[in-house]
Amino acid sequence: MTARDVLTILGAYARSFGESLVDKPTINKSILSNNIKFYKTLKWINILASFLLFVPVFGSIRDFNLPHMVGYLIMASFGYSTWIFQGITGVPIYEETRFLTLLHLTLHSFFGIWLEFYNNFPLFDDFLHCFGGFWGGFSLFPFIFGSAIAWSNLPPKAVEWKVWLSGISIVNMIGVFWEIGEFISDKIFGRYPGYRMAQESLNDTMLDLIFNNFGATIGILLFWRYLKRSKDINTFVKDMGNKLGEFFVKEKELLRR
């Protein structure tokens, strides 16, 4: 990655974050309510949560726990992924999608590791994998569905199957990469003082993947249920697909030059 790439990402984040602050109606939207007060409240909760992720980062510097510091920095960086993605592609993001993303990262980083929920509550890890699958299915659904109805002329039943299979497949792919990351982390930091092993056994790994699928299924089912009752969301999701298509066309043109 070059310095120019880094500046592009930072510029996209700054532009997207700024647009979020001034409430551009064409950029952000709430799924659950058209109430402006609800949207603004959720927006500011997301902004505050993005800064909350840095509390463990500074705390780990004081304690100088290297593996935790690296993990906290990664989670804090991911906290701004939705703004960066929105700024680069121009694809509008639901505030609920942003909220679920930040909530999952905060539960893992701030509560799970920093406040030691993983050690104090045995079922917390299982819950978080289930919630992670839910977040993945619920968050990916608008992009997959929007792309399907914007880029193709598939019949409704085919679109439904495409959304289901694509959503579950992507959640599984993310889950597998997460487990690989845990495996690598255990190999590198396994003997580090105070390090908590992420993978205790094969049984733990397989249960994590099962919980991911269970949560993803719930997320997709809930979005389908809500989508059938709201034509406004259908239109917005289609706009998301169109914006994503425009972005890929522009990128292809840039590569040809």
Side-chain angles (χ1 to χ4, degrees):
M1 180 178 288
T2 64
R4 184 178 180 182
D5 294 330
V6 173
L7 290 174
T8 300
I9 293 173
L10 291 176
Y13 158 68
R15 182 171 64 254
S16 179
F17 201 74
E19 288 171 345
S20 176
L21 292 176
V22 298
D23 289 326
K24 261 194 158 184
T26 56
I27 295 296
N28 299 309
K29 186 178 179 67
S30 170
I31 301 173
L32 300 177
S33 173
N34 291 324
N35 187 290
I36 298 297
K37 185 178 291 187
F38 174 83
Y39 163 75
K40 287 186 175 181
T41 300
L42 193 60
K43 180 196 74 171
W44 284 106
I45 288 174
N46 290 336
I47 292 172
L48 291 173
S50 70
F51 291 112
L52 181 65
L53 286 169
F54 280 95
V55 173
V57 174
F58 294 117
S60 65
I61 292 174
R62 183 195 63 191
D63 300 334
F64 198 72
N65 188 311
L66 182 60
H68 286 177
M69 187 190 302
V70 172
Y72 293 143
L73 280 170
I74 292 173
M75 293 301 109
S77 301
F78 281 166
Y80 296 94
S81 59
T82 56
W83 282 293
I84 293 172
F85 176 82
Q86 181 175 282
I88 292 175
T89 64
V91 177
I93 300 292
Y94 286 117
E95 282 303 311
E96 284 84 354
T97 299
R98 206 185 312 278
F99 173 75
L100 289 174
T101 301
L102 288 163
L103 178 60
H104 186 264
L105 294 171
T106 303
L107 285 173
H108 170 71
S109 180
F110 185 81
F111 290 96
I113 301 177
W114 177 248
L115 297 182
E116 298 186 355
F117 273 36
Y118 282 125
N119 295 329
N120 298 326
F121 303 99
L123 295 179
F124 185 75
D125 182 62
D126 296 335
F127 163 75
L128 206 54
H129 275 280
C130 188
F131 181 78
F134 173 84
W135 161 77
F138 192 86
S139 301
L140 290 168
F141 186 101
F143 301 104
I144 300 170
F145 183 70
S147 301
I149 62 176
W151 303 352
S152 65
N153 296 316
L154 293 172
K157 198 65 179 177
V159 170
E160 186 172 344
W161 276 104
K162 182 177 182 179
V163 171
W164 268 99
L165 294 175
S166 300
I168 293 294
S169 297
I170 295 174
V171 167
N172 271 286
M173 180 185 70
I174 295 172
V176 168
F177 279 116
W178 179 269
E179 295 301 321
I180 292 173
E182 287 186 343
F183 175 78
I184 293 173
S185 178
D186 285 351
K187 291 298 181 183
I188 296 175
F189 300 112
R191 297 183 179 180
Y192 195 94
Y195 177 78
R196 175 188 174 274
M197 296 295 286
Q199 293 184 332
E200 298 177 356
S201 64
L202 177 60
N203 186 61
D204 175 75
T205 301
M206 294 309 299
L207 282 174
D208 288 347
L209 294 175
I210 291 171
F211 283 125
N212 288 344
N213 282 276
F214 181 71
T217 300
I218 295 175
I220 293 173
L221 280 172
L222 286 178
F223 208 111
W224 267 124
R225 184 180 178 86
Y226 194 80
L227 186 66
K228 291 176 180 178
R229 298 188 304 172
S230 177
K231 293 182 180 179
D232 181 53
I233 290 183
N234 201 326
T235 302
F236 186 76
V237 166
K238 187 173 182 178
D239 183 54
M240 293 176 72
N242 286 327
K243 291 287 186 182
L244 199 58
E246 291 171 7
F247 170 73
F248 284 126
V249 169
K250 290 178 182 177
E251 287 296 303
K252 188 181 289 185
E253 290 176 353
L254 289 173
L255 290 173
R256 287 177 179 173
R257 293 177 184 175

